[in-house]
Amino acid sequence: MSPDGVEARRDDDFTEPGPIAKLLLAAFAWLDERYRIRNYADSIQHFYHQLNFELPRTHTEKYNLRVIWYWYPLYALGSIVFLAFIFATISGILLTFYYIPSTSSVMMEGVGEATQAWQSVALIMTEMPLGFMIRAVHFWSAMVMVSAVVLHMARVYFTQAYKKPRELNWLLGVVLFLLTLGLGYTGYILPWSQLSFWAGRIGLEMSLSTPILGKWLAGLLFGGVELGQETVTRMYVLHVILLPLLTFGASIAHVAIVWWQGIAEPH
Ligand code: HEM
């Protein structure tokens, strides 16, 4: 024992790494020799410390208060939105294994002529293992997402959390709100049922009535001035690729900003 009470490190303190640790070290050394990953790991660590990340503290923690503000549960709404989005994404991926985005005609027993899209949704409900449940999870997580995003927006508004320095995160929130509505609308069109068709019609007419850009907008969103196969293809691409990726990326940026700035204190 040294005078300051710290035991000196001796050579026989060294413990042999286990087989898994050895394997990981060997893999790390192999990669480091080729890609210098230690340098990148060091820069990431340096960047991390420069940013001085810390978890946002609540009003109560910051000021050591004993009061629990009664609206604190409402601070969970943003996370509920994100959780609903994750549920919708997982169930949506499962649905894409069976859904067919096609308006081609098929003959269905007991129904007559139908489109392939509509038939594939009917098969999800009747033939796909647990298909009805996966579709229900997809539907209800979408409902929860839209409701929670509206409530989250109201919470932010009524606690005045949109004020300086959070103006840009509010604007990013508006983008997220529009993306959420976009996901809901494009998903509604996909079964190509009567409801889908007429909702598509409303969207198409609205696009067409936009001054100057009307035709261009209808072409961009609905694939032309008439509803058809192009409409379903476009809605499908928007619903399963473009909007989910944008929503995911924007949500990560949104939450990262909350992390940086901390949660707004109730006024
Ligand atoms: C996909 C949609 C969204 C997700 C996943 C999301 C997620 C979150 C999360 C997890 C928080 C942390 C605090 C809390 O939950 O209340 C938050 C805060 C915030 N959100 Fe959202 N949000 C979304 C949409 C929106 C919308 C539509 C708005 C407003 C237009 C908005 C504006 C804000 C603002 C200003 C804050 C900071 C509030 C504070 O510091 O108290 N967000 N968001």
Side-chain angles (χ1 to χ4, degrees):
M1 183 84 70
S2 63
D4 59 2
V6 180
E7 203 167 340
R9 193 186 153 84
R10 297 199 326 254
D11 276 354
D12 56 6
D13 281 346
F14 179 77
T15 45
E16 182 83 3
I20 295 181
K22 264 189 187 164
L23 196 72
L24 288 176
L25 279 171
F28 185 82
W30 193 92
L31 284 170
D32 192 46
E33 213 178 342
R34 284 155 186 84
Y35 304 108
R36 296 182 167 275
I37 54 176
R38 211 175 337 168
N39 295 1
Y40 297 111
D42 285 349
S43 336
I44 290 171
Q45 205 175 20
H46 181 68
F47 180 64
Y48 182 86
H49 287 302
Q50 271 197 331
L51 283 177
N52 192 19
F53 269 140
E54 62 170 38
L55 281 173
R57 287 183 300 160
T58 61
H59 193 71
T60 315
E61 285 165 339
K62 206 164 178 178
Y63 298 102
N64 210 8
L65 301 176
R66 293 192 179 272
V67 188
I68 303 291
W69 294 85
Y70 65 87
W71 48 68
Y72 269 179
L74 300 186
Y75 277 27
L77 284 166
S79 306
I80 293 174
V81 180
F82 194 67
L83 210 64
F85 174 64
I86 297 295
F87 269 81
T89 305
I90 295 170
S91 52
I93 289 172
L94 296 176
L95 291 175
T96 53
F97 283 106
Y98 286 81
Y99 172 76
I100 304 170
S102 158
T103 56
S104 305
S105 268
V106 284
M107 284 307 283
M108 274 180 76
E109 233 183 83
V111 176
E113 210 179 336
T115 61
Q116 227 175 349
W118 196 87
Q119 185 198 35
S120 66
V121 175
L123 292 181
I124 285 171
M125 296 301 278
T126 53
E127 305 284 326
M128 175 178 164
L130 292 180
F132 69 96
M133 209 161 91
I134 293 165
R135 191 166 173 233
V137 169
H138 196 67
F139 175 83
W140 283 108
S141 46
M143 293 290 122
V144 169
M145 186 172 171
V146 175
S147 321
V149 89
V150 172
L151 293 174
H152 172 60
M153 220 169 154
R155 184 301 271 172
V156 170
Y157 180 76
F158 288 115
T159 55
Q160 304 185 5
Y162 53 83
K163 287 186 174 173
K164 189 184 169 190
R166 299 182 176 79
E167 306 92 324
L168 289 181
N169 217 16
W170 169 267
L171 291 180
L172 187 55
V174 174
V175 172
L176 280 165
F177 177 64
L178 295 176
L179 286 170
T180 309
L181 295 189
L183 277 168
Y185 180 76
T186 50
Y188 197 74
I189 305 292
L190 293 183
W192 212 236
S193 60
Q194 282 292 322
L195 286 174
S196 311
F197 184 85
W198 294 107
R201 184 96 219 159
I202 292 168
L204 178 68
E205 297 293 341
M206 280 171 72
S207 306
L208 280 172
S209 55
T210 310
I212 307 167
L213 297 175
K215 265 195 173 164
W216 174 81
L217 199 61
L220 183 75
L221 295 176
F222 296 91
V225 292
E226 293 290 336
L227 295 178
Q229 176 60 56
E230 287 75 16
T231 314
V232 176
T233 307
R234 267 164 210 238
M235 293 294 138
Y236 187 61
V237 173
L238 283 170
H239 189 74
V240 306
I241 302 175
L242 217 59
L243 295 180
L245 283 180
L246 287 175
T247 307
F248 184 74
S251 300
I252 296 295
H254 185 69
V255 176
I257 293 173
V258 176
W259 191 345
W260 261 316
Q261 299 189 316
I263 302 267
E265 283 123 31
H267 296 278

